[in-house]
Amino acid sequence: MAQSMQAPSARSGNGLFSAALRNRGLAAIIVIFILALGLVNAISPAPMSYFDFHSLANGGAPLALAAVGQTIIVLSGGFDLSAGSTISLVNVIVASLPQDTLAGQVGVVLLGLLVGGLVGAFNGFFVAYFRLQSIVVTLSTMFLVHGVTLLIMPDPGGAVAPEITAFFSGSAITDVLPASVLVLAVALLAWLYLKGLRFGTALYAVGSDADAARSAGLSVPWTRFWAFTLGGLFYGAAGVFISAQTGSADPLVGDPILLQTFTAVVLGGTSLAGGRGGALGSVLGAYTLMVMVNILLSLDVSAYYSTVAEGIVLIVAAMAGALGSEAPLRRYLSSVGLRLKARAAGLAASAATLKPAALRQMSAQDQGWNVSWLVRHADLVRIVLPAYLAFVIVVIATQVVYGGDTIFAWKYYDSLIVLGSFLAILALGQGTVILSGGLDLSIAWTIAFCGILAAGLINGSNLASVWVIPLVLVVGAAIGGLNGIGVAVLGLPPIVVTLAMNGILQGAALVFSDGTPAGFTSPGLRWLMTGKVLGITPVVVFVAIFVLAAIGLLGRTVFSRWVYALGNSPKASYLAGVNVRTTTIAVYVLSGVCSALVGILLTGFGGQASLGMGDTYLLPSIAVVIIGGTLITGGRGHYVGMLGGVLLLTALQTLLAGTTLPSASRDIIFGLVVLAAVLALRERSTG
């Protein structure tokens, strides 16, 4: 009798344990969330009250809603970098429209959801039906939407009706239930409904294996399109909630949310490879992240460390999610162990035998000295020529707009080279990363951090520049090295590693400068960037030397052949004898050094450093590479083409600077140019 009474309990216990094993990510985040809440309660002077519960629920709701949207997109096998910009756009639109009547209030809420859905549909259309990389499409959309947002409202302002604020961020039941809990409950019920539909099945199938899903009769484009559309709808909901929460609008309010959404998604147990996870875990991940930040604040840790904490949490969570028998880190440690054993046994292969013979012979086979240069380099000319032709058109347009002897004076070209010098340097680093099949999103704050570090340490001294500049370049190399290790050794997606690094560097820059960068550049650096020798700015000579070195590096060196091979096929490169891990780390080190160099030169150009000084270079650093004919998927391109992209974008920027167009239009134009370039390259590559 006792045994029969205990059997159901044992079975239920086993069932619960089995369910936890099947949903390890969700089970883990539940435990972590409970522990984090317990820690907050333990270090707080008083037990958690309804006010604390209400504040926690409201504070994390926008991130939780955005994380649900990002989860749907990640499950389909994509990434969305436009989440923060979409939230800002919805916030600005909601707070800009009249809300005096009930119809007006309902209307702005519905409009906010619609705008988010339309941005998502825009992304989904290009990702699903043109088969473009989601990272590039959403990065372009991020800048497009950011420009539109600033055109609508360049500065914080607007107002949201008190009724909307009360409805979303008030109490559904006074002193019992915050309204935000109901909002999230509706969002999760909507997710459960979607998950139970054919779309839910297709979502997981496409994210796990798109080819297998297609073979099973599922429409991969349809699934991806609706994944991005629904993701945008949830971003719209997050924008509406932020509007209700703040009662006003800020065109930059969504910027910090991008890093947080990925952190919440990974914390919640959703695989960044797609096909595994769910929205409930992401909601709990969002609140766990918020509680972690609150713990730091409760311990009197500066708020400047919040982005550092978020970046570290993202890396750790992504590493934990990637652990397994086939995890890259485990394979790497296993290979190291085997090599050490082989070396101890005297069986290690010599460096000569590891050298890829196929790559050594490539240049000899491809020389083709019996044909003309144009025939031998027909592919190169085809991919780089459009950028230079477009550059000539922009130069002619500049002459038409400004008249006089604008383009016939050396001053115009001197200025063009000086302004383009930063992008010419970044093109080498970012371009090499893209050629290898990766992407570096940490450029923005690598530039800012290294610039702030250089200005603070130089502090106007030419003598200090002698040791500070090499030191800062080493720091840039170290940043790039960490990115490379995350990608090559830990096996994490480049977008995750470099986005997390960007957040870490943002916090580091704030901590180092205490929120207000100090110091200024040396007279020597200032002269390099703004002085004149026979009418020529000294940095022009430096750029010429740099360009020649860059062309040589990405020309016929062994390193360049390894980079191209890696971009075409990492597996084939490995089988051919290419040291894939070392090459991957090397390209990110190069990108870090180039970003650090730009940070130093920018301080010389402006006299001092500033927070966010690198933000305006992220999209252009990618744009010049793509415009120059480089495939975003890697394996094809040339620095000569990238240089054409630099000239085109800089000339276009110079042309727009003298017009009456608002500065926000530059982001819109850059976003459209990148999207058009990717589309054009896709058509050529598939034709």
Side-chain angles (χ1 to χ4, degrees):
M1 181 71 175
Q3 290 177 348
S4 64
M5 291 179 64
Q6 291 174 1
S9 175
R11 281 197 300 271
S12 64
N14 289 336
L16 185 63
F17 181 72
S18 299
L21 283 179
R22 286 195 306 271
N23 301 278
R24 291 187 296 272
L26 179 59
I29 193 58
I30 290 173
V31 172
I32 294 171
F33 179 63
I34 292 173
L35 291 175
L37 275 181
L39 180 58
V40 168
N41 201 48
I43 63 178
S44 298
M48 181 176 286
S49 63
Y50 173 75
F51 175 80
D52 298 322
F53 174 53
H54 186 274
S55 298
L56 177 65
N58 279 355
L63 175 57
L65 290 168
V68 173
Q70 190 73 257
T71 300
I72 295 173
I73 293 168
V74 170
L75 284 173
S76 73
F79 293 100
D80 192 350
L81 299 178
S82 67
S85 295
T86 304
I87 291 170
S88 297
L89 176 62
V90 172
N91 172 232
V92 163
I93 289 175
V94 168
S96 300
L97 297 175
Q99 306 155 25
D100 299 331
T101 63
L102 178 61
Q105 294 160 13
V106 174
V108 295
V109 171
L110 294 177
L111 180 61
L113 297 176
L114 177 62
V115 168
L118 288 175
V119 174
F122 179 86
N123 288 329
F125 177 72
F126 287 102
V127 172
Y129 296 105
F130 285 88
R131 297 185 181 183
L132 302 181
Q133 275 203 331
S134 60
I135 294 175
V136 181
V137 172
T138 57
L139 183 66
S140 300
T141 304
M142 178 178 79
F143 281 86
L144 276 168
V145 172
H146 180 68
V148 172
T149 303
L150 290 175
L151 285 178
I152 296 173
M153 185 181 291
D155 300 304
V160 177
E163 292 82 0
I164 296 179
T165 299
F167 182 84
F168 284 99
S169 58
S171 292
I173 303 176
T174 305
D175 295 334
V176 175
L177 182 65
S180 53
V181 175
L182 286 183
V183 172
L184 289 174
V186 170
L188 289 174
L189 287 173
W191 159 250
L192 289 175
Y193 174 73
L194 291 169
K195 190 178 178 182
L197 297 175
R198 178 179 172 84
F199 168 76
T201 303
L203 184 70
Y204 281 90
V206 169
S208 297
D209 190 332
D211 291 332
R214 190 178 292 109
S215 300
L218 297 173
S219 175
V220 174
W222 177 86
T223 304
R224 286 175 173 163
F225 173 79
W226 281 106
F228 277 91
T229 302
L230 290 169
L233 194 66
F234 278 100
Y235 300 153
V240 169
F241 197 97
I242 280 185
S243 304
Q245 189 179 53
T246 60
S248 61
D250 183 346
L252 304 179
V253 70
D255 288 2
I257 294 180
L258 178 60
L259 173 61
Q260 296 170 348
T261 58
F262 282 104
T263 308
V265 167
V266 175
L267 266 177
T270 295
S271 170
L272 291 172
R276 179 167 60 84
L280 177 57
S282 297
V283 169
L284 291 173
Y287 278 100
T288 301
L289 183 61
M290 182 183 174
V291 170
M292 288 178 177
V293 173
N294 287 342
I295 290 173
L296 293 177
L297 296 177
S298 299
L299 296 175
D300 290 328
V301 177
S302 171
Y304 295 154
Y305 286 95
S306 61
T307 58
V308 176
E310 290 163 3
I312 293 174
V313 168
L314 175 56
I315 293 292
V316 173
M319 284 175 57
L323 289 178
S325 59
E326 294 300 314
L329 179 58
R330 288 194 177 187
R331 293 202 304 267
Y332 174 71
L333 294 176
S334 176
S335 67
V336 170
L338 289 174
R339 284 200 298 270
L340 290 175
K341 288 180 181 178
R343 187 169 298 171
L347 300 175
S350 67
T353 61
L354 289 175
K355 213 168 186 179
L359 292 179
R360 288 201 308 269
Q361 296 169 3
M362 187 183 298
S363 59
Q365 294 171 349
D366 294 342
Q367 293 294 334
W369 296 113
N370 58 328
V371 295
S372 67
W373 183 93
L374 191 60
V375 172
R376 284 188 284 114
H377 298 86
D379 286 340
L380 173 63
V381 173
R382 180 176 61 83
I383 64 175
V384 306
L385 189 58
Y388 287 94
L389 291 177
F391 166 64
V392 172
I393 293 172
V394 172
V395 170
I396 294 172
T398 302
Q399 177 62 37
V400 172
V401 171
Y402 296 109
D405 59 349
T406 303
I407 68 170
F408 301 104
W410 164 250
K411 182 179 178 181
Y412 171 77
Y413 298 99
D414 184 85
S415 175
L416 206 64
I417 296 172
V418 172
L419 293 175
S421 61
F422 312 113
L423 281 178
I425 295 169
L426 290 176
L428 175 62
Q430 184 74 273
T432 308
V433 171
I434 291 175
L435 282 171
S436 72
L439 192 68
D440 190 353
L441 299 180
S442 68
I443 275 180
W445 278 95
T446 303
I447 291 172
F449 177 74
C450 290
I452 291 170
L453 184 64
L457 295 178
I458 290 175
N459 204 22
S461 170
N462 279 329
L463 184 60
S465 300
V466 175
W467 64 269
V468 170
I469 291 176
L471 173 65
V472 173
L473 293 177
V474 169
V475 170
I479 292 169
L482 290 174
N483 282 333
I485 290 171
V487 174
V489 179
L490 303 182
L492 301 178
I495 180 179
V496 172
V497 175
T498 57
L499 187 64
M501 179 60 74
N502 203 54
I504 292 170
L505 292 174
Q506 181 179 357
L510 288 167
V511 171
F512 178 79
S513 64
D514 198 23
T516 307
F520 50 96
T521 191
S522 64
L525 268 176
R526 185 69 172 163
W527 172 82
L528 177 69
M529 299 303 300
T530 61
K532 285 286 187 291
V533 177
L534 301 176
I536 301 174
T537 307
V539 75
V540 171
V541 178
F542 174 79
V543 170
I545 297 172
F546 181 91
V547 166
L548 291 175
I551 293 173
L553 180 64
L554 288 183
R556 291 190 175 274
T557 62
V558 173
F559 171 73
S560 69
R561 292 198 291 274
W562 285 15
V563 169
Y564 283 101
L566 183 59
N568 281 304
S569 175
K571 185 173 291 186
S573 301
Y574 176 76
L575 294 175
V578 174
N579 193 326
V580 172
R581 291 192 182 95
T582 301
T583 305
T584 302
I585 294 172
V587 298
Y588 283 96
V589 168
L590 179 61
S591 182
V593 171
C594 288
S595 300
L597 179 58
V598 168
I600 294 168
L601 295 181
L602 276 173
T603 61
F605 185 72
Q608 56 188 13
S610 62
L611 295 170
M613 62 190 286
D615 288 346
T616 56
Y617 288 94
L618 176 57
L619 181 63
S621 73
I622 300 171
V624 297
V625 174
I626 297 172
I627 294 169
T630 300
L631 282 180
I632 191 62
T633 51
R636 194 196 78 180
H638 199 282
Y639 184 75
V640 172
M642 301 174 197
L643 190 61
V646 171
L647 292 172
L648 171 58
L649 221 58
T650 307
L652 183 61
Q653 197 170 356
T654 303
L655 173 61
L656 295 175
T659 66
T660 57
L661 289 174
S663 58
S665 62
R666 182 184 62 184
D667 288 341
I668 299 174
I669 292 171
F670 283 0
L672 289 173
V673 166
V674 172
L675 202 54
V678 174
L679 279 170
L681 284 172
R682 173 196 171 274
E683 291 168 356
R684 284 185 222 154
S685 63
T686 58

